[in-house]
Amino acid sequence: MSILKIARMGHPVLRKKSEEISDPQSEYVKYLVEDMLETLEDIQGLGLAAPQVHVSKKLVIFYSPPGEAETSEMDLNILINPIIEPIGDDIDYDWEGCLSVPGLRGLVPRYKKIRYKGLNEKGKKIDKTVEGLHARVVQHECDHLEGIIYVQRMDNLEDLVFESEMKFYNKF
Ligand code: ZN
């Protein structure tokens, strides 16, 4: 296992549409997932998409708020070849950050509720309807697979700030 280098905004790999993974259970995917998990843990992030580690494939990993289980631990999700479908037109704004845009935070509109489908690393089908932070994280990570960074989703660049200046912003 190894910690991978994170591509930062401006690197062409972050602008490309990534490719479908034909065999989610392949050794290649297994090792990629292991390395991405180790990288995410090292950098203490909420989510990571394969293009952020210079691999243009449809794979994201992310933490989501705990589901049914009575635990305060976040759930770890591995999602391959995801498809997102918004449910309704409701939009929420909240602050986002990105490992590829270090030090900055932006106020980003996202669909409040979505349904997403895909496969996990064992080839098992995933089909979830989620809202709030879970929906936000999925939209953020899956945007990376389309070559989109959260800044491109913002409708007011005045709300793009350095983390260290966030204390001046109390919109939420
Ligand atoms: Zn990101």
Side-chain angles (χ1 to χ4, degrees), residues 14 47-49 52 96-101 110 140-141 143-144 148-150:
L14 294 173
L48 187 63
Q52 291 183 277
E96 291 185 18
C98 181
L99 299 172
S100 296
V101 193
R110 299 283 185 190
H140 176 117
E141 296 309 331
D143 262 357
H144 280 299
I148 297 168
I149 290 180
Y150 78 81

Side-chain angles (χ1 to χ4, degrees), residues 3-108:
I3 292 169
L4 306 169
K5 188 181 176 197
I6 308 266
R8 300 202 297 175
M9 184 165 65
H11 193 291
V13 74
L14 294 173
R15 297 208 180 118
K16 270 170 68 174
K17 278 192 181 225
S18 42
E19 293 169 5
E20 292 258 322
I21 290 177
S22 52
D23 181 5
Q25 296 177 76
S26 64
E27 288 279 290
Y28 174 78
V29 172
K30 183 175 167 243
Y31 292 124
L32 178 58
V33 167
E34 279 180 14
D35 285 346
M36 284 175 63
L37 289 171
E38 195 177 349
T39 305
L40 186 60
E41 184 159 336
D42 175 67
I43 207 159
Q44 297 279 295
L46 197 58
L48 187 63
Q52 291 183 277
V53 291
H54 306 84
V55 176
S56 199
K57 301 268 187 199
K58 290 191 186 296
L59 164 64
V60 300
I61 62 173
F62 59 93
Y63 288 98
S64 60
E68 307 86 61
E70 285 190 16
T71 165
S72 55
E73 297 263 302
M74 299 279 269
D75 287 335
L76 175 64
N77 303 269
I78 294 160
L79 181 60
I80 294 166
N81 299 338
I83 296 171
I84 297 183
E85 177 194 326
I87 297 184
D89 300 323
D90 285 357
I91 301 286
D92 263 350
Y93 282 78
D94 209 343
W95 294 97
E96 291 185 18
C98 181
L99 299 172
S100 296
V101 193
L104 293 176
R105 288 279 189 271
L107 198 55
V108 186

Side-chain angles (χ1 to χ4, degrees), residues 155-166:
D155 47 26
N156 186 357
L157 286 177
E158 281 183 15
D159 294 322
L160 183 65
V161 303
F162 281 101
E163 268 166 4
S164 52
E165 311 300 342
M166 286 254 341

